[in-house]
Amino acid sequence: MDGDLRRGWLPGGPETAGTQPGAAPRPAGTPRIVGIVWGLLILNTLGSAGAKTIIPLPRSLIQIATMGALVTAFALALALNLRLRVRASAYLFLLTLLLVSSVISSAHLESGFGALFRCVRLALFTGTLWLLSRWWDGGMTFVRHHIRMYFAVLGSVAAGLVASPGAAMPDLYGGRLVGALWPLTPPQIGQYAAVIIGLTVLLVLGRRTDRAGAAAVIVPSLVLLALTHTRTATLGLFTGLALAIGSLILTSAAARRFFSWTVLCAVVAAVGFSSALQAWFLRGQSQENFSNLTGRAKVWDALLAAPRTTSEQLFGVGLGDKSFGGLPIDNSWLAVYNEQGLVGIALVALIIIVLAGVALLRPPSLPRACAIFLISYCAIASYTEAGLGDASPYLLHLAVAASLLATPAATHLPPPADPRRHIPSWARRSEVT
């Protein structure tokens, strides 16, 4: 990757320093360690459950590694920002309120002491984001970190596929691609691939990277996405890109050309490959199994029918493993309702609404388009994936969106003296006699 790709993906040069009343001083540039901190946050959210790996990794060892990554990320962020200079952020404020609500619900210990441990994890996660908010300035720095880190994760998935195709596509998951080196499930891989594909496409349209370098990311990511057979990620990718590119159509000729060609190719593919696309989409499932979302609907119905006290309805039963009756909930809204109650649902909804509202009020730009893509992707994925109520990749996606929507701190300079102002002769004297 050379040329524009290096300039587009690597952190930019020094920025104009300055402050404005009530805002944190804008740093001269984003330290490189910020990228390391972001990578550690991503490592923490990879999780410890998934497919069997080529080299068996004890789950306790993986949990130590992921939690250690979070503690290290917080320590590094604190070392970078010892003066605790932060940017005002509605997203982080609402996330902090969600943390408070989670502590209240977990204090009853209905979900055991593990709920309090998850609260500590969420507190470190939120605190690290607050410390990093100092460098949220509406630029593309965190988008580049996001693409780099998740592309590295996909690189490990591809390496596992090459090393052991059988372990990477086991029968247990219906032949879908999993992580053979690190335990990753098909929905996780599909999510990471879809997000970096969408962001890279938008970088190309915004001329922040060259096409050759972008193709080196998009093409292998598309292959991995197809091998996961993840419908939610695919739908989120295309819907999110449509909304993001739509926000650029009036101001970008490249966006208009890309949108036109994409629509044409979609129509041709729908006509010429309809049977193959339908087979890929159904994944060999019956219509009945597909209609109840691979058994998810049964878990949702049981969760909603379960009796709850008033306290449980308002604040939930405390942070858990996003399951009910031993089965995964696979819905962010119902998982939040179960663990953080109606208060948690209201806060998560406010996060989505506030970010979307701010994005709609911004003038058309590449950062706005990237934020729209991330917000819409998380909103779509929330229907069949859990994660909006706890430390997860989805909260990191929304954090990147919040960084893109942050307004740069303007340089605050005293007003220049008016040369036309008349100064009395007595005022020019050093001493009045």
Side-chain angles (χ1 to χ4, degrees):
M1 299 183 186
D2 54 4
D4 293 337
L5 185 60
R6 287 198 298 267
R7 292 192 294 272
W9 282 18
L10 292 180
E15 301 175 12
T16 303
T19 60
Q20 62 182 3
R26 187 179 183 184
T30 303
R32 293 182 180 274
I33 299 180
V34 169
I36 298 176
V37 174
W38 199 255
L40 292 171
L41 287 178
I42 288 177
L43 174 60
N44 174 256
T45 58
L46 292 181
S48 58
K52 294 182 178 179
T53 55
I54 298 175
I55 302 176
L57 299 174
R59 187 175 181 182
S60 58
L61 178 63
I62 297 175
Q63 289 175 334
I64 292 173
T66 53
M67 194 61 193
L70 179 58
V71 173
T72 305
F74 179 79
L76 288 176
L78 184 60
L80 286 174
N81 194 1
L82 284 175
R83 296 185 179 181
L84 303 181
R85 292 173 176 172
V86 299
R87 293 291 303 272
S89 170
Y91 168 70
L92 291 178
F93 175 72
L94 291 171
L95 190 58
T96 304
L97 291 181
L98 185 64
L99 169 63
V100 174
S101 172
S102 302
V103 172
I104 293 174
S105 62
S106 301
H108 297 90
L109 298 180
E110 292 186 35
S111 298
F113 286 98
L116 295 179
F117 175 81
R118 292 183 176 92
C119 286
V120 173
R121 175 175 178 247
L122 182 58
L124 290 173
F125 181 88
T126 305
T128 305
L129 292 180
W130 269 114
L131 293 170
L132 294 180
S133 68
R134 178 187 178 186
W135 293 279
W136 291 5
D137 58 0
M140 305 298 293
T141 300
F142 285 91
V143 170
R144 298 174 195 128
H145 292 324
H146 218 52
I147 294 175
R148 282 198 198 100
M149 300 308 170
Y150 278 123
F151 189 65
V153 174
L154 293 182
S156 71
V157 174
L161 177 62
V162 173
S164 178
M169 303 184 71
D171 294 335
L172 179 63
Y173 285 87
R176 302 169 65 190
L177 180 64
V178 300
L181 298 181
W182 186 279
L184 298 174
T185 62
Q188 285 180 282
I189 300 171
Q191 176 197 164
Y192 308 153
V195 167
I196 68 172
I197 289 169
L199 292 176
T200 306
V201 167
L202 293 174
L203 286 180
V204 173
L205 295 181
R207 298 182 180 179
R208 299 295 182 92
T209 183
D210 59 46
R211 296 182 180 180
V217 173
I218 295 174
V219 173
S221 299
L222 275 174
V223 173
L224 296 181
L225 175 60
L227 292 177
T228 63
H229 284 236
T230 307
R231 296 175 293 220
T232 300
T234 305
L235 180 62
L237 169 63
F238 288 112
T239 305
L241 270 181
L243 294 174
I245 295 173
S247 70
L248 294 172
I249 283 180
L250 296 179
T251 58
S252 172
R256 290 192 291 270
R257 289 193 298 268
F258 183 86
F259 186 81
S260 301
W261 279 106
T262 302
V263 171
L264 178 62
C265 293
V267 171
V268 172
V271 173
F273 304 96
S274 58
S275 58
L277 290 174
Q278 183 179 9
W280 181 90
F281 201 75
L282 288 176
R283 298 196 311 232
Q285 297 174 339
S286 64
Q287 291 291 342
E288 179 182 358
N289 196 20
F290 176 74
S291 61
N292 64 26
L293 299 173
T294 321
R296 290 185 177 96
K298 297 179 180 179
V299 180
W300 299 348
D301 292 340
L303 188 153
L304 292 173
R308 289 179 177 272
T309 64
T310 303
S311 176
E312 290 173 344
Q313 285 186 335
L314 289 177
F315 296 103
V317 298
L319 293 182
D321 58 358
K322 312 299 176 290
S323 67
F324 180 79
L327 297 174
I329 297 175
D330 286 340
N331 180 287
S332 284
W333 304 101
L334 291 178
V336 170
Y337 171 70
N338 182 52
E339 296 182 358
Q340 291 137 312
L342 296 176
V343 173
I345 287 182
L347 291 172
V348 171
L350 278 176
I351 288 174
I352 300 293
I353 293 171
V354 168
L355 287 176
V358 173
L360 292 176
L361 293 175
R362 289 283 191 271
S365 65
L366 177 61
R368 176 192 185 227
C370 291
I372 289 175
F373 168 75
L374 292 170
I375 296 166
S376 57
Y377 181 89
C378 291
I380 292 169
S382 66
Y383 185 65
T384 57
E385 296 292 335
L388 285 181
D390 204 349
S392 69
Y394 293 106
L395 291 188
L396 287 180
H397 301 335
L398 294 178
V400 174
S403 74
L404 292 166
L405 297 174
T407 55
T411 302
H412 181 62
L413 298 175
D418 188 353
R420 297 171 297 178
R421 181 182 176 186
H422 174 70
I423 302 176
S425 59
W426 62 266
R428 299 193 194 104
R429 300 175 186 169
S430 60
E431 182 178 0
V432 179
T433 57

